[in-house]
Amino acid sequence: FERRGWRRAGEDDDDWDIYWASVHNIRQLFSPEAGRRLGENRLINHFPNHYELTRKDLMARNIKRYRKDAGKQQAEVLQQTRSNNTGDERAGGERAFLEELPLDWVPTTFALPNDYALFVEEFRRDPNGTWIAKPTASAQGRGIFLVSRLQQVRR
C-alpha cells in the first residue's frame, strides 16, 4: 500500500478508502448494532456474514433458498403476464429475464447427516454415479473424497 502512495489512517481517522482487518474486527465494526456503514467507493477485505458464501454447506442452503424464491417469482410473473395479457413492456422484459434465469447451475447438493435420507433416495436413482463429498469446515481441498458406494458415506 505504501508503494502506491497510500497512508495508514489513524484509529479515529474517518478518512479512508480501504479498511484491512480480520474477520472478527470487520464483524464488530460493521455489525448492525455498531451502526457503521460503508460509504460509497470504500472497500473492506472481508464482509460480514461472508461465510454464507464461503462455507459449502451454507452456500448450498442459500442456493436452495434462491432456487425456491426464483421459481416462485418466475411462476408469479408468468401468471401475471397470462392474466394481464396487456402487452406491458416491463412485464414482458421481466418475464424474458426470468425465463432465462438458470435454476440448475449448481449440482444437486446435500448437507449430511441432516439430508441423509434425501441423499440415499437420490443416490439410488443412479447407483453408478459418483458424488463429491466435501467436509463442512475445511478448506483448500482438504478432506474431499469421491463417493461411488453408499457405504462410503456415514449417517
Side-chain angles (χ1 to χ4, degrees):
F1 292 122
E2 284 87 10
R3 280 188 284 163
R4 293 180 176 260
W6 295 350
R7 64 173 180 79
R8 180 182 295 258
E11 206 169 297
D12 295 328
D13 191 354
D14 201 35
D15 182 26
W16 54 270
D17 295 316
I18 297 175
Y19 200 104
W20 200 268
S22 69
V23 172
H24 177 73
N25 286 344
I26 294 291
R27 195 175 295 146
Q28 282 184 323
L29 288 167
F30 296 101
S31 72
E33 295 82 31
R36 179 180 269 169
R37 297 289 176 256
L38 282 180
E40 204 170 309
N41 299 321
R42 286 189 167 179
L43 303 172
I44 54 176
N45 63 320
H46 296 286
F47 56 92
N49 297 336
H50 72 283
Y51 50 85
E52 292 285 338
L53 295 175
T54 58
R55 274 191 43 182
K56 294 169 245 3
D57 59 330
L58 297 178
M59 182 177 67
R61 184 181 70 195
N62 286 316
I63 289 171
K64 284 180 184 179
R65 187 180 304 136
Y66 160 77
R67 283 179 175 161
K68 183 179 176 182
D69 291 347
K72 283 181 185 177
Q73 192 175 5
Q74 283 178 335
E76 287 171 8
V77 168
L78 290 173
Q79 179 64 33
Q80 185 181 27
T81 303
R82 286 184 193 128
S83 63
N84 287 347
N85 217 1
T86 60
D88 181 8
E89 256 182 55
R90 190 181 79 69
E94 190 174 356
R95 191 183 94 213
F97 168 75
L98 287 171
E99 285 175 349
E100 294 174 12
L101 191 64
L103 298 180
D104 59 351
W105 50 274
V106 172
T108 305
T109 305
F110 301 98
L112 302 178
N114 294 345
D115 295 341
Y116 184 77
L118 295 170
F119 170 70
V120 169
E121 186 180 317
E122 188 68 28
F123 187 91
R124 289 190 174 143
R125 287 187 190 154
D126 183 13
N128 296 323
T130 302
W131 291 79
I132 301 171
K134 297 180 178 184
T136 298
S138 192
Q140 300 174 341
R142 282 177 281 197
I144 294 175
F145 62 97
L146 298 178
V147 174
S148 56
R149 293 185 328 272
L150 202 50
Q151 296 80 9
Q152 292 173 286
V153 179
R154 291 187 218 134
R155 289 179 188 239

